[in-house]
Amino acid sequence: MNILVLGSGGREHALARSIADSPRTDRLFVAPGNGGTAAFAQNVPQLSIEDGQAVLAFAQREDVQLVVVGPEAPLVAGVADALRQAGIDVFGPDAQGAQLEGSKTFSKRFMERNGIPTAAYGSFTDAAAARGFADQLGAPVVVKADGLAAGKGVVVAGTLEEAHAAIDECFSGAFGQAGAVVVVEECLTGPECSMLAFVSQGRALCMAPAQDHKRAFEGDAGPNTGGMGCYSPVPIVSDDELAAMQRIMQQAAEATAREFDHDYRGVLYGGFMLTPEGPKMLEFNARFGDPETQVVLPRLRTDLVDVLQAVAQGRPDDIRLEWADQWAVGVVLASAGYPGAYRKGLPIAGCDEAAQLEGVTVYHAGTARTADGGLVTAGGRVLCVTALGDTFEDARACAYSACTRIEFEGKQFRADIGERAARGRHAWGE
């Protein structure tokens, strides 16, 4: 069948790559796509992916039978609603379900109603009240803009002065409407861990956990980013914690079936903190993670198109997930200056050489093709180099070996992806 993937990042390259490998895929479109997807799919750079009617018109014109929505913004904008109403299968929740990510207040209230363990919180439209609640909680405290803020708008404040400044920044209009409501919550402690699940008809088919590295620099220093590297599974997660996370994800899936007007059909991403009291939910996302997708999908042995279509059609009983008994480690290569200002259009060399290493896949994120077919940088996170290995150490070593083969001016990456987890749980002071 003909399939359309919406998005342009490493997550979408990973999705498109697995879709392209399926014998069930005929024509594959990626809108807008990137320099990597251009090699095996038709990029559609002119399509406005947050415009449901425009996406629908394209899908009808090109006889697309399945649309896979990558980023959160089209989901919150209701693109899935427009497609489903027209009878086109779509992987991704409708606008109501996407509010689990689109509004932190909506999400926290959902957790509260359904007994999902999470941090104590308050939601505010007034700066003075928000500051007062932060004072009541005491530092450290977390301040979040309620809406989508392009990965920004979240501050872990070490002092009350920092918390007050973060609250004032939100209400100043720095994040537009996303900051019109502010969530203030207690700061949980412990390692963070992500668990993604395919959700349909109130069932959660959980994937292996993954652990992202958000900070820009080694030793978890520097500003937060979209993610500088990831691995899956997570060696520090105990069997009891794994079972608890799976129970919580199923609990959340059942709640979507009870509460939402339409069936939640897509990925539910649970961002957990492994606290001394057990796993607690930091946040939900309504789509695949990035770079989690780049380390989870390479281990999936089930045909991804079969899974995506079964979810989109509300057939979870038809899904049988099979996973490779291997470790996956992904290292992000970023532009100099990221997550701040950075240059674009710099030539990239060595991707093919890196991809020739056994078990290595080079996923493109911020890349583009020149008129003569050359590959250049086009974003902050440029590439994610993922390696599979029979052991955690093998996967890490292979990923970093591949990274040395790729060159572009100003290339930066963290050399310690997975290093802390390799030392064990005591590396988190436990």
Side-chain angles (χ1 to χ4, degrees), residues 57-411:
F58 178 89
Q60 291 173 329
R61 184 168 66 250
E62 299 295 342
D63 192 26
V64 168
Q65 286 89 45
L66 175 64
V67 177
V68 181
V69 185
E72 60 274 19
L75 294 170
V76 172
V79 169
D81 305 62
L83 293 164
R84 283 204 180 93
Q85 287 164 12
I88 294 176
D89 288 339
V90 55
F91 181 90
D94 63 13
Q96 183 187 29
Q99 282 297 97
L100 284 172
E101 178 168 3
S103 167
K104 294 176 178 64
T105 300
F106 179 96
S107 184
K108 294 291 281 192
R109 289 173 178 165
F110 173 87
M111 295 182 216
E112 199 171 37
R113 284 194 307 275
N114 292 289
I116 293 170
T118 189
Y121 80 101
S123 178
F124 304 94
T125 56
D126 174 75
R131 289 194 295 266
F133 186 72
D135 293 344
Q136 180 183 329
L137 287 177
V141 64
V142 182
V143 178
K144 300 178 177 180
D146 180 76
L148 297 179
K152 300 170 184 167
V154 176
V155 173
V156 180
T159 67
L160 289 176
E161 290 76 16
E162 290 175 10
H164 290 185
I167 290 167
D168 291 342
E169 182 182 27
C170 286
F171 285 121
S172 74
F175 307 110
Q177 275 301 112
V181 177
V182 173
V183 172
V184 179
E185 60 184 43
E186 70 170 318
C187 186
L188 301 176
T189 59
E192 290 189 37
C193 182
S194 304
M195 176 170 280
L196 283 65
F198 295 106
V199 173
S200 184
Q201 298 292 332
R203 283 195 58 195
L205 294 102
C206 294
M207 306 178 217
Q211 197 162 43
D212 188 11
H213 293 62
K214 290 290 186 189
R215 298 285 186 172
F217 308 128
E218 290 162 23
D220 288 330
N224 271 330
T225 72
M228 293 298 292
C230 200
Y231 47 85
S232 180
V234 181
I236 63 166
V237 173
S238 70
D239 291 344
D240 286 346
E241 288 171 329
L242 180 64
M245 288 191 289
Q246 291 170 336
R247 283 196 304 271
I248 291 168
M249 293 303 292
Q250 179 57 37
Q251 192 177 341
E254 290 172 1
T256 66
R258 284 194 308 270
E259 294 196 2
F260 294 168
D261 297 332
H262 302 287
D263 190 30
Y264 187 108
R265 298 181 180 181
V267 160
L268 187 61
Y269 168 126
F272 286 92
M273 182 75 85
L274 305 179
T275 77
E277 297 81 36
K280 293 188 178 183
M281 190 67 69
L282 293 173
E283 64 178 3
F284 282 118
N285 291 326
R287 38 72 189 177
F288 276 100
D290 187 344
E292 289 91 345
T293 309
Q294 294 93 299
V295 295
V296 170
L297 287 188
R299 300 181 57 240
L300 180 63
R301 291 293 172 259
T302 310
D303 189 312
L304 181 61
V305 171
D306 286 343
V307 177
L308 297 175
Q309 189 179 43
V311 170
Q313 294 179 347
R315 298 183 287 105
D317 291 344
D318 293 344
I319 299 172
R320 297 289 182 272
L321 298 178
E322 295 183 10
W323 303 93
D325 188 20
Q326 289 179 296
W327 297 81
V329 175
V331 179
V332 170
L333 305 183
S335 298
Y338 176 78
Y342 51 82
R343 294 171 61 194
K344 297 181 181 181
L346 302 173
I348 304 170
C351 286
D352 291 341
E353 181 185 353
Q356 287 170 4
L357 294 176
E358 185 176 357
V360 170
T361 305
V362 179
Y363 293 113
H364 293 234
T367 71
R369 295 284 175 180
T370 60
D372 60 1
L375 188 67
V376 296
T377 64
R381 291 189 295 171
V382 179
L383 302 162
C384 181
V385 180
T386 297
L388 294 173
D390 291 334
T391 68
F392 190 32
E393 293 73 16
D394 288 346
R396 289 187 70 240
C398 187
Y400 279 111
S401 177
C403 287
T404 65
R405 289 161 166 76
I406 298 173
E407 294 297 336
F408 56 89
E409 184 182 339
K411 178 184 77 173

